[in-house]
Amino acid sequence: MAGSVFQWTKYLAGDRTRGSRVWIYLFGAGVLTVTAVVVTLPLTILPMLNLMGWNLDAAALHDQIWVAAIHARRHHVLNIYSVKVVSVVNNTGVFFEIVASWSSPS
């Protein structure tokens, strides 16, 4: 595990909490975060696809499930075969978050 939460708890609590840290980090960062993204992504992607002429219904559960399944599959394949590509995607997202936070009015 290389996550920052895992590293900080290692330094603050020591190695005696290793087993519980792994399970808490896996559940919190892995399961909950990925599930939240995959479930809410169709709510933003489907209206965008409608503007591009795809004629999908954002309220239809069938369309939401297909968008979520395609998104989850794409990320699984990227994580399995190319950590460098995922790193570039992550760094690009961080860059645009920084640019957006600087350009937003305070």
Side-chain angles (χ1 to χ4, degrees), residues 1 3 5-6 22-35 37:
M1 292 254 153
V5 174
F6 184 80
V22 169
W23 286 108
I24 290 170
Y25 187 72
L26 179 67
F27 181 72
V31 175
L32 292 179
T33 304
V34 170
T35 303
V37 168

Side-chain angles (χ1 to χ4, degrees), residues 51-65:
L51 291 174
M52 294 171 27
W54 283 49
N55 297 327
L56 296 170
D57 184 12
L61 183 60
H62 184 265
D63 290 341
Q64 291 177 8
I65 289 172

Side-chain angles (χ1 to χ4, degrees), residues 13 24 36 49 82 89:
I24 290 170
L49 292 174
S82 181
V89 169

Side-chain angles (χ1 to χ4, degrees), residues 49-84:
L49 292 174
N50 281 336
L51 291 174
M52 294 171 27
W54 283 49
N55 297 327
L56 296 170
D57 184 12
L61 183 60
H62 184 265
D63 290 341
Q64 291 177 8
I65 289 172
W66 275 109
V67 169
I70 290 168
H71 177 71
R73 175 68 60 178
R74 180 178 54 122
H75 278 279
H76 287 305
V77 169
L78 280 174
N79 277 319
I80 290 169
Y81 292 110
S82 181
V83 175
K84 290 186 186 259

